Amino acid sequence: MASGLGKRFGGNKLMADFDGQPLICRALTVTDGLFSHRVVVTRHADVASLCHAQNVPVILHDKPFRNDTIRLGLDEVTRNGDISGCLFCPGDQPLLSRETIINLIDAFLADNKKIIRPAFQNTPGAPVLFPSWAFSELFSLPEGKGGGFVAKKYPERIQLVPVQDEYELKDVDTQKDLLILLNRFKYQLM
């Protein structure tokens, strides 16, 4: 998911430098090779160009709402066959680890009827892995709503997967957020 306008950031945050590469590259790296199909849904031509250069399929759109992004992405990944689940991964969580993505997949493989979410100290975050039973509701989300709308309707069907670092689930909304997460990233490398 790479369609945010970046109003609080002051522009397209996904192309902002994060340790020498555009922020969106972190999401592309941690999800590479883990899924039968990946697609980036964006309204930014520069993000689309970067993804094309990395052979990642892209849907470039001009739709206004989060539910549009979800519908476009889900339509693309379900078009080519029957899938059991779909992970919606924001492009602005630079500390999200490949290990967490794998843990989400493992939890889903153990029970593919649950909505799988990472959580720090029982506080759920993103990305979220939705089972196929939720697709019809995701396709018909109310205007401006995201997958959290569906997840809140079914709290008994959610399985949380713990993460050890609260910063892993933080996203970049402002320039300050970017600096905080970049400093945390550099600290982890020490």
Side-chain angles (χ1 to χ4, degrees):
M1 296 178 57
S3 292
L5 293 173
K7 289 179 182 176
R8 290 179 283 172
F9 189 81
N12 181 3
K13 62 185 171 182
L14 298 173
M15 294 301 290
D17 181 76
F18 191 88
D19 196 44
Q21 63 181 351
L23 179 64
I24 184 80
C25 289
R26 304 282 303 160
L28 298 176
T29 299
V30 298
T31 59
D32 187 33
L34 297 178
F35 299 94
S36 62
H37 190 74
R38 265 190 326 171
V39 63
V40 172
V41 183
T42 188
R43 64 175 50 128
H44 304 288
D46 49 358
V47 171
S49 294
L50 181 142
C51 292
H52 283 302
Q54 294 190 22
N55 295 315
V56 176
V58 177
I59 296 172
L60 184 61
H61 71 93
D62 61 357
K63 307 274 188 230
F65 300 113
R66 183 183 308 175
N67 60 302
D68 296 317
T69 301
I70 290 169
R71 182 179 36 77
L72 290 167
L74 191 57
D75 182 56
E76 176 65 25
V77 298
T78 58
R79 175 177 297 142
N80 298 323
D82 188 29
I83 62 169
S84 59
C86 183
L87 179 83
F88 290 92
C89 186
D92 64 351
Q93 286 181 262
L95 300 186
L96 184 64
S97 72
R98 187 171 180 86
E99 177 185 2
T100 292
I101 300 293
I102 291 169
N103 290 341
L104 295 174
I105 294 168
D106 287 345
F108 182 77
L109 292 174
D111 186 349
N112 69 2
K113 301 298 182 206
K114 296 279 190 181
I115 297 170
I116 309 295
R117 299 188 75 172
F120 179 73
Q121 296 180 348
N122 289 319
T123 300
V128 182
L129 206 164
F130 285 95
S132 60
W133 65 258
F135 291 176
S136 62
E137 292 197 47
L138 291 167
F139 273 122
S140 60
L141 284 167
E143 188 175 283
K145 297 294 183 182
F149 180 82
V150 174
K152 286 178 185 169
K153 285 176 67 175
Y154 301 101
E156 72 284 356
R157 293 185 180 184
I158 294 176
Q159 179 178 339
L160 299 180
V161 174
V163 299
Q164 301 304 312
D165 182 1
E166 68 180 305
Y167 289 95
E168 186 173 355
L169 303 183
K170 302 273 186 203
D171 62 350
V172 173
D173 289 325
T174 65
Q175 295 278 342
K176 183 178 178 182
D177 294 337
L178 182 70
L179 290 174
I180 289 169
L181 293 175
L182 183 57
N183 286 333
R184 180 69 180 185
F185 175 75
K186 289 179 178 181
Y187 172 77
Q188 290 172 340
L189 295 177
M190 297 172 97

